[in-house]
C-alpha cells in the first residue's frame, strides 16, 4: 500500500529529535491538520481530498488524528446561509478529532457558536477563552489522545485578536460589558501564562508529547500574540500547528529554553494539508502535502464526502445562481500580476467599488471599507447572489455616522500601521484620498484588546484630501460603512465608537453591491473601474 500512494509533498521542512520518556510503538503517529479553510469545501484539495488522505494514512498506520486550527465555518455562502451548520456536518463526516475556534467561528454570534460546538462531534478546545470575573474556561483546554502507550496532548489556543477581528459585541453583554475574554493584555503575559498552565497540566497528566494547536498567526498580527511569540515565552511544547494569518510555512522557532520547535501553517482554503509525524524513533517531522492522488495518479476524492457535499449544495445552489446585475470588468481583491491577496495593503478596483457603494447609497461625504471584509473577487459577466455573498459573507449592516477629521485621520493611521504587511483593517476609500509614507515607522498605540489608543509620534498617513480638499481635523464629516466598524469598533477602530449614528441598518452589505449597480450604474459596472489597481486614491511612498 505504501508504494501505491502517489501523494506529492512540498517536502520535509522541519524535524526535531525530542527527548521523551521511553515508549514503544511500531508505527508512525500521523497528525493531519487544516487551518483557515473558510468554507472552501471544494477548493484546492477540499474536504474530499482531506478525507481521502486521511484514509490513505490509516491504511499505513493505525495512529492517525485529524485536527483543525480554526476559521472553518465562515467565508463563503455555504457557511453564511447555514450559519456554519453545513460546515460542521462536513467536519463530522471527515472525522475531525480535535478543533479550535478561530476568530471567525464567532461571526454568527456567541450563542450560535456555542450551539455549533455541541454539534461538532469532537467539540472545540481552547485554553484561553474564558468567561466572567472568575475567568472560567468555556471549553476544555486540551485533549489527551492515547496511541497505545504514547499519550499526545493537543492544547488549543485562540488569538486574543478575536475580540476585534470578529464583532466585539459577540463578546459583550447587552449593555456593552465584556463577558468573554481571550486573555488579552498589553504585553502577552496573560496569554503566555494561560498556555503554559495548560501545557503543564497536560504534562502532569502524563502527556508524552504536547502539540499546541493555535489560531495565532504571524504576519499582520499583534506582535505579542503571534505564534512565534507564544513559542518564545513557553516551554514543554513539542510542535505547533498554526492558523489565522493564511501563511504557508514550515519552520523551527526557539522556545523559552532555546529548543527549536516545529511550527507549521497550511495557507488557506485547503491549499495544502499539514502533516506531523511522530516516528517510533521519537522524531517529530512536519511537512505540507500539496497533492493527494489515488493509485492511478488522479486527484483522490472521498466518495462519501462528495455525496454529502452534493446533498448540501442541492439545498441552496439554485438560489445562489440568481442574477443580480452585471460587470463588464473584473472587480478584484487580488494583485493583478501575482494573483495574491492585495486588498489588505493596497488599493484595488473592488475596494474602490465597495467604498463607492457605501458612500453613494447612504449619501455620505466619505465611504470606507476594510480590506479584510472583502473576501472574494467578481469576474466580468453576470453577478449572481453567490458572487455577492463571496465578497460579503458576514451579513454586516450599512450605516452612517458623523466623525471629526481627526477621528478619520486616526482611523487611516490605525489601518496603515502594519504596512507593508497585510492588515484586515486596511482602509479602501471613496470621497477621500491619502498617502502612506512607509519610511515613517508606525507609532500607533493600542490598549490590551488591540483597540486604537493614540499615536505617539509622526503619522505615516499624509496628504489626506476629502473631495479634493485638505481634511479639516476639527470639521465633522459623514462617514458611511458598516456596523462592524462604525458602531462596534471592529479591527480596533475604537475612535468611531460612540459617534452619532445618523443612518442605521440601512441594508445588509450584499445588497449594497446590487443596489449600487442597478440604481446608480445603469445596471452594469464599467467606466471608472477598468484599472484593477483602482483610481489612485491610495498612494504608497
Amino acid at each position: 500500500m505504501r508504494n501505491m500512494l502517489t501523494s506529492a509533498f512540498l517536502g520535509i521542512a522541519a524535524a526535531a529529535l525530542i527527548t521523551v520518556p521511553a515508549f514503544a510503538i511500531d508505527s508512525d503517529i500521523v497528525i493531519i491538520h487544516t487551518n483557515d479553510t473558510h468554507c472552501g469545501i471544494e477548493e484546492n484539495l477540499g474536504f474530499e481530498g482531506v478525507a481521502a488522505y486521511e484514509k490513505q494514512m490509516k491504511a499505513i498506520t493505525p495512529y492517525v488524528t485529524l485536527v483543525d486550527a480554526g476559521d472553518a465555518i465562515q467565508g463563503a455562502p455555504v457557511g453564511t446561509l447555514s450559519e456554519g451548520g453545513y460546515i460542521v456536518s462536513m467536519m463530522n463526516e471527515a472525522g475531525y478529532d480535535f478543533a479550535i475556534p478561530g476568530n471567525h467561528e464567532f461571526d454568527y454570534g456567541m450563542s450560535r457558536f456555542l450551539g455549533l460546538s455541541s454539534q461538532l462531534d469532537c467539540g472545540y478546545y481552547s485554553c484561553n477563552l474564558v468567561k466572567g470575573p472568575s475567568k472560567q474556561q468555556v471549553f476544555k483546554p486540551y485533549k489527551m489522545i492515547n496511541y497505545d502507550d504514547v499519550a499526545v496532548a493537543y492544547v488549543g489556543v485562540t488569538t486574543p485578536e478575536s475580540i476585534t477581528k470578529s464583532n466585539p459585541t459577540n463578546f459583550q453583554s447587552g449593555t456593552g460589558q465584556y463577558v468573554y475574554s481571550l486573555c488579552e493584555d498589553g504585553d502577552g503575559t496573560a496569554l503566555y501564562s494561560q498556555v503554559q498552565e495548560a501545557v503543564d497540566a497536560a504534562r502532569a497528566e502524563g502527556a508524552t508529547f504536547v502539540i499546541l494547536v493555535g489560531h495565532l498567526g504571524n504576519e499582520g498580527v499583534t506582535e505579542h500574540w503571534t505564534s512565534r511569540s507564544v513559542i518564545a515565552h513557553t516551554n514543554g511544547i513539542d510542535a505547533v500547528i498554526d492558523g489565522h494569518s493564511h501563511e504557508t510555512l514550515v519552520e523551527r522557532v526557539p522556545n523559552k529554553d532555546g529548543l527549536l520547535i516545529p511550527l507549521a501553517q497550511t495557507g488557506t482554503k485547503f491549499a495544502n494539508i499539514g502533516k506531523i509525524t511522530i516516528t517510533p524513533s521519537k522524531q517529530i517531522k512536519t511537512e505540507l502535502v500539496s497533492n493527494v492522488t489515488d493509485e492511478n495518479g488522479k486527484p483522490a476524492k472521498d466518495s462519501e464526502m462528495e455525496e454529502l457535499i452534493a446533498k448540501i449544495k442541492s439545498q441552496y445552489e439554485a438560489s445562489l445562481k440568481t442574477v443580480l446585475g452585471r460587470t463588464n470588468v473584473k472587480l478584484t481583491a487580488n494583485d493583478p500580476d501575482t494573483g495574491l491577496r492585495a486588498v489588505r495593503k493596497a488599493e484595488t478596483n473592488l475596494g474602490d467599488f465597495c467604498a463607492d457603494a457605501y458612500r453613494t447609497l447612504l449619501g455620505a461625504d466619505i465611504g470606507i471599507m476594510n480590506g479584510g471584509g472583502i473576501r472574494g473577487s467578481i469576474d466580468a459577466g453576470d453577478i449572481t447572489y453567490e458572487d455577492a455573498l463571496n465578497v460579503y459573507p458576514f451579513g454586516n449592516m450599512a450605516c452612517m455616522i458623523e466623525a471629526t477629521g481627526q477621528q478619520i485621520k486616526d482611523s487611516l493611521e490605525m489601518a496603515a500601521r502594519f504596512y507593508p504587511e497585510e492588515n484586515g483593517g486596511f482602509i479602501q476609500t471613496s470621497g477621500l484620498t491619502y498617502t502612506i509614507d512607509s519610511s515613517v515607522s508606525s507609532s500607533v498605540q493600542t490598549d490590551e484588546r488591540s483597540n486604537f489608543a493614540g499615536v505617539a509620534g509622526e503619522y505615516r498617513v499624509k496628504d489626506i484630501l476629502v473631495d479634493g480638499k485638505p481634511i479639516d481635523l476639527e470639521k465633522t464629516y459623514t462617514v458611511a460603512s458598516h456596523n462592524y466598524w462604525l458602531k462596534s469598533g471592529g479591527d480596533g477602530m475604537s475612535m468611531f465608537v460612540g459617534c452619532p449614528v445618523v443612518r442605521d441598518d440601512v441594508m445588509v452589505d450584499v445588497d449594497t453591491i446590487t443596489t449600487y449597480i442597478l440604481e446608480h450604474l445603469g445596471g452594469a459596472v464599467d467606466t471608472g473601474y477598468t484599472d484593477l489597481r483602482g483610481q489612485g486614491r491610495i498612494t504608497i511612498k
Side-chain angles (χ1 to χ4, degrees), residues 111-169:
S111 177
R112 174 58 176 168
F113 171 60
L114 294 177
L116 289 174
S117 70
S118 65
Q119 297 175 30
L120 182 63
D121 290 345
C122 67
Y124 284 96
Y125 294 79
S126 181
C127 71
N128 65 313
L129 177 60
V130 297
K131 182 179 181 180
S134 65
K135 298 189 181 299
Q136 179 182 1
Q137 289 176 317
V138 177
F139 299 119
K140 292 180 180 179
Y142 64 89
K143 180 179 183 178
M144 193 81 75
I145 297 180
N146 294 304
Y147 309 86
D148 290 336
D149 62 347
V150 177
V152 178
Y154 297 85
V155 176
V157 57
T158 302
T159 176
E161 286 194 339
S162 300
I163 299 289
T164 56
K165 295 299 184 182
S166 185
N167 196 315
T169 59

Side-chain angles (χ1 to χ4, degrees), residues 159-423:
T159 176
E161 286 194 339
S162 300
I163 299 289
T164 56
K165 295 299 184 182
S166 185
N167 196 315
T169 59
N170 293 333
F171 303 89
Q172 300 171 357
S173 67
T175 58
Q177 301 298 312
Y178 279 94
V179 176
Y180 296 91
S181 168
L182 286 149
C183 301
E184 61 276 2
D185 65 12
D187 62 5
T189 301
L191 180 65
Y192 310 148
S193 297
Q194 196 77 356
V195 171
Q196 190 66 65
E197 182 179 322
V199 172
D200 291 346
R203 289 290 186 187
E205 191 180 331
T208 314
F209 295 96
V210 174
I211 308 296
L212 185 69
V213 183
H215 194 83
L216 296 169
N218 287 289
E219 182 178 337
V221 175
T222 304
E223 178 62 30
H224 53 266
W225 292 334
T226 64
S227 56
R228 294 188 183 110
S229 293
V230 170
I231 294 171
H233 289 87
T234 57
N235 53 26
I237 297 168
D238 295 305
V240 177
I241 295 167
D242 196 20
H244 187 43
S245 52
H246 296 199
E247 297 168 89
T248 302
L249 60 87
V250 178
E251 62 184 30
R252 298 170 70 189
V253 179
N255 73 356
K256 186 177 180 179
D257 298 330
L259 298 176
L260 293 177
I261 307 303
L263 167 66
Q265 192 178 158
T266 70
T268 184
K269 295 201 173 186
F270 298 106
N272 302 282
I273 296 171
K275 180 185 179 184
I276 295 177
T277 305
I278 302 175
T279 71
S281 61
K282 308 177 186 179
Q283 284 189 319
I284 296 179
K285 302 176 181 179
T286 58
E287 58 193 271
L288 300 180
V289 179
S290 58
N291 294 288
V292 180
T293 54
D294 61 20
E295 61 271 16
N296 298 314
K298 296 181 179 180
K301 294 186 177 183
D302 181 74
S303 59
E304 293 176 342
M305 182 64 75
E306 282 188 298
E307 290 177 8
L308 176 61
I309 291 175
K311 180 180 178 180
I312 288 174
K313 288 174 63 177
S314 69
Q315 300 177 43
Y316 65 87
E317 202 163 39
S319 63
L320 292 180
K321 301 306 178 185
T322 303
V323 175
L324 305 176
R326 181 174 178 80
T327 177
N328 295 324
V329 297
K330 180 174 182 177
L331 298 170
T332 187
N334 301 322
D335 184 284
D337 293 330
T338 66
L340 299 176
R341 186 169 64 182
V343 75
R344 296 176 180 232
K345 60 180 181 179
E347 180 183 354
T348 76
N349 66 343
L350 180 55
D352 289 352
F353 172 88
C354 292
D356 285 347
Y358 275 113
R359 180 177 65 85
T360 302
L361 294 176
L362 276 71
D365 298 319
I366 298 165
I368 57 176
M369 181 63 204
N370 56 319
I374 301 172
R375 309 301 286 198
S377 301
I378 302 176
D379 289 329
D382 289 338
I383 299 175
T384 65
Y385 183 43
E386 182 175 19
D387 293 326
L389 283 176
N390 278 326
V391 175
Y392 287 151
F394 298 102
N396 289 321
M397 299 298 294
C399 58
M400 183 169 71
I401 63 168
E402 292 178 338
T404 66
Q406 183 64 56
Q407 288 170 318
I408 294 165
K409 181 179 180 180
D410 287 341
S411 72
L412 294 170
E413 187 71 11
M414 180 71 170
R417 72 192 189 281
F418 288 135
Y419 184 85
E421 293 184 3
E422 290 186 0
N423 178 16

Side-chain angles (χ1 to χ4, degrees), residues 509-528:
D509 49 12
V510 293
D511 290 341
T512 64
I513 294 175
T514 54
T515 304
Y516 179 52
I517 293 172
L518 296 176
E519 296 185 5
H520 295 272
L521 298 181
V525 182
D526 198 344
T527 305

Side-chain angles (χ1 to χ4, degrees), residues 490-531:
D491 287 321
M493 295 295 181
S494 55
M495 70 289 294
F496 292 134
V497 176
C499 286
V501 179
V502 292
R503 297 195 67 185
D504 196 9
D505 292 349
V506 176
M507 65 181 72
V508 70
D509 49 12
V510 293
D511 290 341
T512 64
I513 294 175
T514 54
T515 304
Y516 179 52
I517 293 172
L518 296 176
E519 296 185 5
H520 295 272
L521 298 181
V525 182
D526 198 344
T527 305
Y529 299 101
T530 54
D531 190 336

